[in-house]
Amino acid sequence: MRLKDIKELFQIELNGMYDKEEIDNFFFMIIESYLNLKRIDLALNPELSCKDNQSQLLNDALAHLKKQIPIQYILGETEFFGLPFKVNSSVLIPRPETEELVSWIINQQPKTEKQELSILDIGTGSGCIAISLAKKLPNAKVYALDVSKESLNVAKKNAKLNNVVIEFFEADILNSKAWSEEFKNLTFDVIVSNPPYVRELEKDMMKNNVLKNEPHLALFVEDEDPLLFYKAITQYAVNNLTNKGRLFFEINEYLGKQMIQLIKKCGFNSVELKQDIFKKDRMIKALK
């Protein structure tokens, strides 16, 4: 079957669910992943065709898109901070705003700092934060923890894929006694976390492809205590950061003021709230 006919089928079947450009992007991402063909290949040879088994792969991908399964899960991979990452439904798909957080952490490191940095990523998921920091800060010793064994399996594969060494731990963020035992006698120059922060009341504002596919464990918190994870992590950080150590969070855009109050109440004096490229309160930094 000719690829241009399959491309047209994508437009027909997905019309109304996605816009035309997005559908084309899906198609070209799929043929590059499955057939090792780029957009230019089809432009140069419009009569390119694929074998029956290849056509079936493309039709299967189309069926998944019709069910609003994210393209990253269909392909089993994505890119974050210029690096390749494997993803599946046990981990969140890395977002551009989290790339901004990673950039902020890197840019905040003193330019003259030569000694080894110690970094802890809490709730690592796919490992995107920890691995990107390990890749971009070669003097860093990076630790990462998550409550999900399945997430840690993905993160470990991603660390190997990107040729970095991370020490991973399975532990519950909310059981501070249990996971602090993992880090006995350790202090950290940087603690970073992108914990669950979407309130149940905000579910109606989210797209179906996220709600139906991405792990709720990594997304949602109860309306009554939306800063639950931040409180536990901040209390740990105030006791386990080095002198002038830095705490970084990705946060709920609607809870910036509450986050500042929480962090100051826990003993941090220097707190900075930062907006993302969409002018939303999305990141926060505290200096010990």
Side-chain angles (χ1 to χ4, degrees), residues 96-105 275-278 283:
E97 52 265 35
T98 310
E99 289 185 315
E100 293 186 63
L101 176 64
V102 170
S103 291
W104 196 24
I105 295 170
Q275 293 185 327
D276 62 17
I277 58 171
F278 303 109
M283 294 158 275

Side-chain angles (χ1 to χ4, degrees), residues 48 86 149 156 160 167 243 246 267-268 283:
L48 271 177
K86 300 294 183 184
K149 188 185 295 290
K156 289 173 184 177
K160 186 175 181 180
E167 285 202 33
N243 184 37
R246 297 171 287 277
F268 288 91
M283 294 158 275

Side-chain angles (χ1 to χ4, degrees), residues 12-285:
I12 294 169
E13 294 290 327
L14 299 175
N15 182 40
M17 297 179 67
Y18 310 94
D19 62 42
K20 186 179 186 301
E21 184 178 354
E22 190 173 20
I23 295 169
D24 279 349
N25 285 337
F26 288 156
F27 174 78
F28 288 117
M29 288 171 70
I30 289 165
I31 66 168
E32 181 171 357
S33 179
Y34 290 178
L35 309 182
N36 198 29
L37 291 172
K38 296 185 182 296
R39 184 186 296 248
I40 188 66
D41 296 317
L42 191 55
L44 293 174
N45 187 356
E47 297 304 310
L48 271 177
S49 61
C50 59
K51 299 175 183 177
D52 289 344
N53 63 324
Q54 294 173 325
S55 177
Q56 185 59 51
L57 285 174
L58 300 185
N59 284 325
D60 289 345
L62 175 58
H64 289 317
L65 286 170
K66 289 173 71 174
K67 294 178 182 177
Q68 293 189 295
I69 295 175
I71 186 68
Q72 295 91 339
Y73 288 160
I74 295 171
L75 300 179
E77 60 188 14
T78 191
E79 185 178 286
F80 179 86
F81 217 73
L83 301 170
F85 284 86
K86 300 294 183 184
V87 291
N88 60 34
S89 59
S90 67
V91 298
L92 292 179
I93 297 165
R95 263 88 171 164
E97 52 265 35
T98 310
E99 289 185 315
E100 293 186 63
L101 176 64
V102 170
S103 291
W104 196 24
I105 295 170
I106 292 170
N107 292 336
Q108 288 291 306
Q109 302 316 306
K111 303 304 180 186
T112 58
E113 199 165 35
K114 298 296 184 183
Q115 73 271 24
E116 184 179 89
L117 283 170
S118 181
I119 299 174
L120 173 60
D121 174 28
I122 299 176
T124 196
S126 65
C128 62
I129 293 176
I131 291 165
S132 299
L133 291 174
K135 198 74 176 178
K136 303 301 180 179
L137 297 171
N139 61 323
K141 172 67 175 176
V142 183
Y143 302 81
L145 70 84
D146 203 285
V147 70
S148 166
K149 188 185 295 290
E150 292 78 15
S151 294
L152 287 172
N153 287 336
V154 174
K156 289 173 184 177
K157 291 176 182 176
N158 283 327
K160 186 175 181 180
L161 176 65
N162 285 286
N163 195 31
V164 295
V165 176
I166 311 281
E167 285 202 33
F168 291 103
F169 298 89
E170 181 183 348
D172 183 353
I173 297 170
L174 298 180
N175 187 349
S176 59
K177 183 178 179 181
W179 61 265
S180 62
E181 285 291 314
E182 300 282 2
F183 305 114
K184 266 187 176 178
N185 304 317
L186 282 178
T187 55
F188 302 96
D189 301 295
V190 174
I191 293 177
V192 56
S193 185
N194 177 19
Y197 61 66
V198 181
R199 293 172 291 181
E200 294 285 339
L201 62 86
E202 292 163 357
K203 277 187 175 180
D204 291 343
M205 301 163 61
M206 302 182 73
K207 294 181 179 179
N208 276 336
N209 64 334
V210 175
L211 280 174
K212 292 181 178 179
N213 297 284
E214 299 200 48
H216 286 203
L217 179 68
L219 281 170
F220 295 108
V221 287
E222 297 294 333
D223 296 338
E224 294 76 19
D225 196 4
L227 303 183
L228 177 68
F229 293 98
Y230 294 98
K231 192 182 306 178
I233 295 165
T234 305
Q235 288 171 345
Y236 176 81
V238 77
N239 294 315
N240 293 276
L241 279 171
T242 58
N243 184 37
K244 296 186 179 179
R246 297 171 287 277
L247 172 64
F248 292 88
F249 285 122
E250 183 174 320
I251 67 169
N252 186 314
E253 63 184 280
Y254 304 110
L255 300 176
K257 290 182 180 178
Q258 293 93 319
M259 280 297 306
I260 292 173
Q261 292 171 356
L262 166 65
I263 293 172
K264 287 186 174 180
K265 186 177 180 180
C266 287
F268 288 91
N269 294 316
S270 177
V271 183
E272 180 181 352
L273 183 65
K274 185 176 176 66
Q275 293 185 327
D276 62 17
I277 58 171
F278 303 109
K279 304 301 180 185
K280 295 178 179 180
D281 291 341
R282 184 62 69 190
M283 294 158 275
I284 203 160
K285 179 192 77 170

